[in-house]
Amino acid sequence: MNTDIIRQTDKEVADLLDLELKRQQTTIELIASENFTSKAVMQAAGSVLTNKYAEGKPYKRFYNGCKNADKIEELAQQRAKKLFNAEHANVQPHSGAQANMAVFLYAVKPGDTVMGMDLSNGGHLSHGSPVNFSGLYFNIVSYGVDSNGEIDYENVRELALKHRPKLIICGASNYSKIIDFKKFKEIADETGALLLADIAHIAALVAAGEHPSPFPYADFVTTTTHKTLRGPRGGIIMCKEKHAQGIDKAVFPGTQGGPLEHIIAAKAVALKEALSDEFKLYAKQVVLNAKALAKSLMDEGLDIVGNGTDNHLMTLDLRKLNKTGKDIANILEVVGITANKNTVPNDPQSPFVTSGVRLGSPAVTTRGFKEEDMVEVGKIIAEAVKISDTQDSEKLKELRARSLKLCEKYPLYKD
């Protein structure tokens, strides 16, 4: 994490990077979509491949001098296929949203009907939000969750039979239950739709067997590489072999130009790490830690959407307390816990205010937290919520000291 070389050129940026490192070291990171990469992944992301342009596929480039980039990208493809038991993998997407865009470009035409989970119920912007390309150019039919915070598969089926979508999207950015990919496949087959599973959040859990896999069922599977998968910021598309050529063309030249070969190198390293036995233990602990945190919060009298979690995340429901997600996320940051405001189902607040706070266990699990630590984190959160109206400065200092003690127990990027 040495910034001396940067400092010789740009002291301002070096100072800010040092401050960011200190923030990460002294903060309990509960943003469900964030994680800490290994130093190996970070070094690959900052490698000499940042200098290389490599438009096209491995061994079929539009530029010369790509023989090393070709081999590295091929390694990333092979490792992705092995990790997920996928038929084909394209590791070039710059992000999960761009991976989804490429699937849209290949699978549907503007104006076609697409079904996806409503953003306010736990879906993602690229699953049909009206402010996103997916909602602007396609006829979106959204499904949500029931009063228990679970997908009502019969309702999904009824909507699909009524609207006959060309593409059905399953997967979410804020859903704490197990997704039944088999049921989605049955619905897609019954209605003649293609099936896209977006596993950006649960990729590591799928890879490690902690969540059922969509690969026997979905035509396309997209994921980010920087959440539970613990890699660099980027995306991957995997698909059935019959869709491979079309998906590759949809990525380049369809939606992107030159791939980020330095990030692809970091993806390759992260995928190798994910193939290890140690990674399987990590994924298992992610779920154990999330369950421990959810139980701790509920024991303290707080509401969780769906009354718990089956994966790596959960959402605090603050409606009965007449508090907003925006205010609670801000107070948590004061006591050294980073989270994000998030809507809850049927939220009376706007997406900029919200009635919920999303919490996740991937980053703290990478750091070394265990169940007993998550119980303490739950208690700190509960006490912060209780005093958020008064903002008792002495109590806030006490809670900050408790969170800092946990951070010091598990040093980050120290050696």
Side-chain angles (χ1 to χ4, degrees):
M1 306 301 110
N2 194 310
T3 56
D4 289 350
I5 293 176
I6 300 172
R7 188 170 301 283
Q8 293 171 20
T9 300
D10 193 331
K11 182 180 181 299
E12 290 172 290
V13 168
D15 286 345
L16 289 168
L17 287 172
D18 287 343
L19 287 172
E20 174 59 17
L21 174 60
K22 183 178 181 181
R23 184 196 69 81
Q24 291 183 22
Q25 290 172 329
T26 58
T27 300
I28 295 175
E29 184 56 75
L30 293 184
I31 293 177
S33 51
E34 293 192 10
N35 214 325
F36 301 117
T37 72
S38 68
K39 289 184 178 181
V41 168
M42 204 176 294
Q43 186 172 356
S47 67
V48 293
L49 275 174
T50 195
N51 302 326
K52 190 70 196 90
Y53 226 125
E55 281 188 351
K57 295 163 62 176
Y59 309 109
K60 293 182 180 180
R61 305 290 191 181
F62 288 80
Y63 291 80
N64 286 58
C66 294
K67 63 181 180 181
N68 299 313
D70 287 344
K71 290 177 182 177
I72 289 173
E73 185 168 335
E74 188 176 48
L75 271 176
Q77 292 171 331
Q78 291 170 348
R79 289 169 181 175
K81 289 193 291 183
K82 183 178 179 181
L83 181 64
F84 292 105
N85 193 27
E87 293 181 17
H88 179 75
N90 187 307
V91 297
Q92 292 190 4
H94 302 332
S95 68
Q98 283 196 261
N100 287 342
M101 179 183 282
V103 174
F104 271 74
L105 181 63
Y106 166 69
V108 287
K109 293 180 172 60
D112 280 352
T113 299
V114 176
M115 275 186 65
M117 181 179 274
D118 181 72
L119 179 65
S120 66
N121 278 233
H124 187 260
L125 279 168
S126 59
H127 296 179
S129 171
V131 298
N132 183 259
F133 82 92
S134 55
L136 291 168
Y137 292 100
F138 302 91
N139 176 40
I140 300 298
V141 176
S142 296
Y143 60 88
V145 297
D146 61 20
S147 58
N148 296 317
E150 299 186 35
I151 295 169
D152 182 338
Y153 292 94
E154 186 54 37
N155 176 251
V156 173
R157 178 176 176 271
E158 289 171 0
L159 286 171
L161 286 169
K162 179 180 178 180
H163 296 281
R164 297 286 172 172
K166 295 285 184 65
L167 179 69
I168 296 176
I169 307 171
C170 54
S173 65
N174 189 30
Y175 183 65
S176 63
K177 305 300 182 180
I178 297 296
I179 298 171
D180 192 330
F181 296 115
K182 185 173 184 290
K183 283 186 179 178
F184 271 108
K185 175 60 173 172
E186 290 168 354
I187 294 167
D189 285 348
E190 187 177 2
T191 57
L194 292 169
L195 182 63
L196 163 60
D198 182 342
I199 61 168
H201 265 276
I202 57 172
L205 308 186
V206 169
E210 295 297 320
H211 188 289
S213 172
F215 283 89
Y217 311 110
D219 294 282
F220 320 97
V221 178
T222 58
T223 183
T224 53
T225 49
H226 52 273
K227 298 184 177 78
T228 53
L229 207 50
R230 209 160 54 179
R233 305 193 71 79
I236 298 175
I237 304 174
M238 290 160 283
C239 64
K240 302 294 187 185
E241 189 61 42
K242 64 182 179 181
H243 300 302
Q245 185 176 1
I247 284 294
D248 287 347
K249 287 183 178 179
V251 174
F252 172 82
T255 57
Q256 295 184 180
L260 309 178
E261 291 296 337
H262 53 304
I263 300 301
I264 289 173
K267 291 176 187 178
V269 175
L271 289 164
K272 183 174 183 178
E273 292 174 350
L275 284 162
S276 69
D277 290 338
E278 179 187 5
F279 191 84
K280 290 183 175 63
L281 294 175
Y282 155 74
K284 186 178 187 65
Q285 191 63 50
V286 165
V287 177
L288 292 174
N289 281 351
K291 288 180 179 293
L293 177 58
K295 184 177 186 304
S296 176
L297 292 166
M298 291 188 291
D299 286 347
E300 294 293 324
L302 296 177
D303 287 345
I304 299 289
V305 173
N307 295 313
T309 181
D310 296 323
N311 54 32
H312 65 297
L313 60 74
M314 69 215 68
T315 305
L316 272 177
D317 186 341
L318 302 163
R319 284 176 293 185
K320 77 175 186 183
L321 300 175
N322 292 317
K323 298 178 187 288
T324 68
K326 180 180 179 180
D327 287 342
I328 296 306
N330 287 340
I331 202 75
L332 289 179
E333 189 167 5
V334 172
V335 301
I337 295 174
T338 314
N340 64 279
K341 63 180 179 289
N342 212 101
T343 55
V344 298
N346 305 310
D347 202 323
Q349 300 287 352
S350 78
F352 300 101
V353 177
T354 81
S355 297
V357 174
R358 187 182 66 166
L359 307 167
S361 62
V364 289
T365 304
T366 294
R367 195 161 183 166
F369 282 45
K370 296 293 189 293
E371 292 97 319
E372 62 270 20
D373 304 304
M374 303 308 288
V375 172
E376 168 67 355
V377 172
K379 290 179 179 178
I380 294 171
I381 292 171
E383 292 188 41
V385 170
K386 289 171 186 174
I387 65 165
S388 58
D389 292 333
T390 64
Q391 298 205 16
D392 183 324
S393 59
E394 290 304 311
K395 186 63 177 176
L396 290 174
K397 286 180 183 178
E398 178 201 326
L399 295 177
R400 180 68 183 102
R402 285 166 62 182
S403 69
L404 189 58
K405 186 177 179 180
L406 283 170
C407 291
E408 291 169 345
K409 182 179 176 182
Y410 301 104
L412 178 68
Y413 298 136
K414 286 292 188 179
D415 51 7

